[in-house]
Amino acid sequence: MTAQIISGKEISATIREELKTKVDELKGKGVTPGLAVVLVGEDPASQVYVNMKSKACDNLGIFEETTKLPAETTEDELLELIDKLNKDDRFHGILVQLPLPDHIDENKVLMKIDPDKDVDGFHPVNVGRMLVGTDCYLPCTPHGVQELLIRSGNDPSGKHVVIVGRSNIVGKPVAGILMQKKDGANATVTIAHSRTKDLAEVTKCADIIVAAIGVPEFIKPDMVKDGVVVIDVGVNQVGTTDEGKRILKGDVEFDTVKEKAAAITPVPGGVGPMTVTMLMGNTVQAAERTLK
Ligand SMILES: NC(=O)c1ccc[n+]([C@@H]2O[C@H](COP(=O)([O-])OP(=O)(O)OC[C@H]3O[C@@H](n4cnc5c(N)ncnc54)[C@H](OP(=O)(O)O)[C@@H]3O)[C@@H](O)[C@H]2O)c1
């Protein structure tokens, strides 16, 4: 079987075109979408992510301001900054780049963000709204998974989706989104994790597998059925090239599983590009709300 390669790069580019039009419309009505990004410390990966977000904003015409704070910033100082950003009308969305230094309680910080500006979709109010199925900001990577399925012609409706991984940032929200009684969802969802017995028996039942495990090439061809659709969320660095570039692998053994799959996302170039795009989407959504 020759699998359809689901390109997150292409789908992401299409969504960004749509967003650009929305940003221009908003500007025509006197509203420039604004995103405040907060980075604490010097984690190199976080710096890369923050730069990507800033560039994406620039390209779409979204106003963006990154506040870079030293690693020694206290929890109180960070909470005070968030308080200010909550009240600052230039910003429709606030994003605090995770992880935070150990001395800062991540939960306290996420709770401090005004749920109406929580474009990462991590505030419990938005998590609750997502589960109930009311209007909210969907968390970016899980929403990206859903968009990849829909826009590649693999609507999850009526399908058995097996998600491997139950983290709060990927596995659980993917389940929450895909089980909704809504267009582009309506899936029958199973969540598997490290305590699941006979995991391969579970994954072999899947019409769609979402792998969010964090173990390189964990899903092998003998764990999937013919014709499965595979969304690989995993990003695992397995080495570096001679030029110092990161070598990345997904959670799925791509070369072998693609021989059995009907469709599969590559790593890189699959889920990765969608995350920042969905963040842009939430920021635009936040700005649109101010007109209602
Ligand atoms: N593309 C993106 O934008 C993006 C965004 C976020 C994350 N990611 C990537 O996605 C992957 C998952 O991230 P995460 O934050 O969800 O990771 P995580 O918090 O470490 O969660 C991993 C999950 O996988 C399960 N698991 C681990 N080993 C397993 C095994 N042997 N058998 C079955 N289940 C197993 C764990 O089970 P237990 O709960 O039982 O421990 C846990 O639920 C990582 O590679 C991460 O880099 C990518």
Side-chain angles (χ1 to χ4, degrees), residues 96-157:
V96 177
Q97 185 63 47
L98 302 178
L100 290 168
D102 288 344
H103 64 276
I104 300 180
D105 182 343
E106 231 162 68
N107 268 333
K108 241 191 202 173
V109 172
L110 296 180
M111 287 286 283
K112 185 75 177 175
I113 299 173
D114 178 346
D116 289 334
K117 292 193 174 190
D118 166 42
V119 284
D120 239 351
F122 288 156
H123 192 290
V125 165
N126 281 313
V127 177
R129 286 178 182 156
M130 172 197 68
L131 266 185
V132 174
T134 50
D135 187 31
C136 68
Y137 301 113
L138 295 175
C140 302
T141 301
H143 190 196
V145 169
Q146 183 189 34
E147 285 294 326
L148 283 175
L149 287 169
I150 297 169
R151 289 177 184 251
S152 64
N154 295 290
D155 194 309
S157 179

Side-chain angles (χ1 to χ4, degrees), residues 216 236-242 244-249:
N236 307 291
Q237 184 173 351
V238 293
T240 37
T241 63
D242 292 343
K245 263 187 88 181
R246 299 189 306 154
I247 301 171
L248 300 177
K249 293 273 181 207

Side-chain angles (χ1 to χ4, degrees), residues 34 48-49 54 70 80 103 144 153 198 221 231 249 279 289:
V48 171
Y49 292 138
S54 166
E80 217 172 283
H103 64 276
D198 300 326
I231 305 291
K249 293 273 181 207
L279 172 71
R289 277 185 179 187

Side-chain angles (χ1 to χ4, degrees), residues 34-56:
L35 176 68
V37 177
V38 181
L39 173 65
V40 186
E42 266 110 48
D43 177 56
S46 293
Q47 286 180 348
V48 171
Y49 292 138
V50 163
N51 287 340
M52 277 164 58
K53 288 163 190 174
S54 166
K55 215 170 126 193

Side-chain angles (χ1 to χ4, degrees), residues 141 165-167 169-170 193-194 212-214 218 233-236 271-272 275:
T141 301
R166 57 175 163 184
S167 71
I169 60 166
V170 190
H193 44 76
S194 68
I213 310 159
F218 180 86
V233 185
V235 182
N236 307 291
V271 175
T275 300

